[in-house]
Structures are given as C-alpha cells and as structure tokens.
Amino acid sequence: MAGGKIRKEKPHRGAAAPANPHHQGGIPFHKSKGQHILRNPLLVDSIIQKSGIKSTDVILEIGPGTGNLTKKLLEAGKSVIAVELDPRMVLELQRRFQGTPHSNRLKVIQGDVLKCDLPYFDICVANIPYQISSPLTFKLLNHKPVFRCAVIMFQREFAMRLIAQPGDTLYCRLSVNTQLLARVSHLLKVGRNNFRPPPKVDSSVVRIEPRKPPPVVKFKEWDGLVRICFNRKNKTLGSIFRQKSVLSVLEKNYKTLQALQLLQLESSMDADTTVDVSVLGDTLDDLSLDVEEEDDEDMEMDDGDDKKGSEFKEKVLSVLKKGEFEDKRSSKLQQADFMNLLSKFNEAGIHFS
C-alpha cells in the first residue's frame, strides 16, 4: 500500500524453506572459488564510467560470473572476451546473451586465466577471484602487445599494497614491482555488502596502466634485489646484506658469472667455437633467491669464515658504502633508489638472478 509499511510475512510451519540467498538463476555461488557477484547496479555503472571504455575497445573480463558486469561492458565497447573457470557460469552466460544483439560480440573462454593464453585486448575490466590477485596482476603486466589499462576489483588490503608509497606501512615488494611496470591509482572503495554472497573484507577498484615504453631493466634481476631488500624491510640494507644466506646466494651467482665469462673468453679465441651468450642469463635464472629470515645473532658472517667469503662480503658492503645505502631501509627507498642500487651491484659483477 502506498505510504504504508510492508510487513514481512512469517513462513507457516511446515512450509518449504526459502531459497538459498546466494543463488542467481538457480546457481549456487562458491566462496571457496572466490565467487562474489556484484549485485549493486549503481556500482557496476560507476566502474564502467571510471574505466574510460571506447566504442572501439576489445574488453577482457575475468570471472564474469552470471554476466551483470558483462552486459554493461558489451553496451560500452566493441566486444568482450570473458574468461570463466566454472562451467556452470559459462552456460549461464551463454543462456543469458543467446538471441540478444550482444551475442555475436561476446566470446567466452572456459578455463583457468592463469594457464590459458590471452588474446589481444585493449582494456581489462574485472571483478576477479581474490586468491589469484598477485599472479594475475603480473600475468597482465607481462602480456604482449601491451594493453591500455586494467580496471580491477581487488581485496582492499591488496589494493592498498599496490598503491603504497615509500614510508607507508603497506609498502612492500608488491608495491615496488607493480609500480616499476605500471602507473597504479585507486578509483573507489567498495563495501562488502555490494556483493552476493558478501566477502569477509571490503574491496577497492584499482586502475593499472602499463608503462610505455617499459622500463629498461631485466625484471628477474630487479625482483631478485627487491626480494632480498624486503626480506626485512625495516632493517638497514647493511644488516640485510650481512646475512649468511644472502651472501651465500650472491656469491654463487658471482662465481657462476665469472666461470661463464671465462668460458666465453676462451671460446672467443677458438675460431671454430661459438658461445650463445643467452646461456648466461638462463644459468643464473636457475639459482634460487628465496632467502629465509634469520635470527639477529645469525645475521652476520662469523669471523672464522674463510678468506674468500670475507673478501666477497667486503665487496658487497663496499657497494653499499659507496652508494651511501648501508644505513638506509627498503621501506623508505624510491624506485630510483632501487634502480641505482641494482646498477651499482651489477657494475661490481654482483647479480640477483
């Protein structure tokens, strides 16, 4: 009745139980698979608006679910490529758009987005399963040809790590690596009640624009350095690079590089023998740089360590001292600082991949 209150009817005893509220079109959603469907149409419209989609854009959507966002993407762009792992959702998408004007502009790929080869796209707009946030971000940033931008819904804390700046509590290896490859900006915060079923945490929509041209740096080498630096981000670099485990890995890399360079030199003197220099990088990439945190008393090499180990330790520390990095902390360093530090280590023949 107009102007009145709607009274909620109580179900009669013995009546059928109400349908599961986390269904749409008869499909139950699985939280374990990260299936949280956007239910707020105003939020969907806001994401579309902030994405800056052009009518000529080929749009990649990851985890389209039942197609609430897909419908708006089809209205805004030229075509949509939707990658969906759940075969039930694939069938729901096909049923929803079959016989509509959009059907010939929607391509659905059933499979794991982390394992399948992605086709060409101009822009990615997606509400993704949060458990694939990190590997998906770097898969996209490694995609060729480079796309214009990605507008993605992430768990809020992950999103805040992406955009964190030096000195921020959440500034970490993820922040440094992502911002090396892309410009990242926060678009809007999204409360958990905008989803069905609601996740346990709030979310944020982030815009990621790959840098063009990409930075001139070997990413595995860069990541090797950053991984060590953020092993204990609030310790000084001098303290971190005194760890036995760090020095051990770096010395193995150093000796491998020297051996390969010697092999190359000897081979160059033999007219009948050629060396593929690319083997250098392949060999170094095989070395693990996963460094375990050590207790403070185990951080530094013992005085009784062999002479060669002590010499290498001094070589590493001299790089830090000359660049005035010994007393600095990773949590405060800018991108340019990491780039400068990597350059100085490489000039001394010390590599991280």
Side-chain angles (χ1 to χ4, degrees), residues 311-326:
E311 288 176 357
F312 183 77
K313 174 183 174 182
E314 290 307 314
K315 186 179 185 69
V316 170
L317 296 181
S318 69
V319 172
L320 296 177
K321 291 173 182 176
K322 288 179 181 178
E324 299 182 352
F325 285 105
E326 189 176 21

Side-chain angles (χ1 to χ4, degrees), residues 5 28 36-37 43 51 80 103 114 125 127 154 167 178 203 211 219 231 281 290 326 352:
K5 293 184 179 179
H36 300 280
I37 309 301
L43 176 59
S51 298
V80 173
S103 60
L114 298 179
V125 183
N127 170 32
F154 291 115
T178 305
S203 305
R211 296 191 185 277
F219 183 75
N231 185 37
D290 288 323
E326 189 176 21
F352 297 85

Side-chain angles (χ1 to χ4, degrees), residues 118-249:
L118 297 177
Y120 170 87
F121 63 94
D122 298 298
I123 181 172
C124 174
V125 183
N127 170 32
I128 66 169
Y130 292 158
Q131 60 264 36
I132 67 169
S133 295
S134 185
L136 176 62
T137 297
F138 288 100
K139 179 179 176 106
L140 290 175
L141 289 175
N142 283 319
H143 181 74
K144 298 292 184 293
V146 178
F147 54 94
R148 188 170 74 252
C149 76
V151 175
I152 303 179
M153 182 90 68
F154 291 115
Q155 181 178 328
R156 181 159 177 80
E157 183 173 329
F158 183 88
M160 294 299 99
R161 290 181 185 276
L162 287 178
I163 66 172
Q165 297 298 307
D168 293 348
T169 303
L170 293 177
Y171 188 61
C172 60
R173 176 183 164 206
L174 174 69
S175 319
V176 175
N177 283 347
T178 305
Q179 293 171 32
L180 170 75
L181 302 173
R183 286 179 289 273
V184 189
S185 56
H186 183 267
L187 295 182
L188 64 143
K189 181 179 178 180
V190 181
R192 64 195 75 182
N193 291 328
N194 288 285
F195 300 89
R196 185 175 59 251
K200 294 181 179 179
V201 295
D202 290 336
S203 305
S204 281
V205 179
V206 171
R207 183 182 182 91
I208 301 173
E209 298 179 61
R211 296 191 185 277
K212 300 177 185 178
V216 184
V217 63
K218 184 180 177 184
F219 183 75
K220 286 186 178 181
E221 181 79 0
W222 167 276
D223 184 49
L225 168 66
V226 173
R227 187 185 311 176
I228 289 175
C229 290
F230 278 93
N231 185 37
R232 288 187 171 186
K233 69 177 184 179
N234 291 316
K235 291 282 187 180
T236 65
L237 293 179
S239 177
I240 291 171
F241 280 91
R242 283 183 170 87
Q243 291 183 59
K244 294 179 187 177
S245 53
V246 172
L247 289 168
S248 175
V249 171

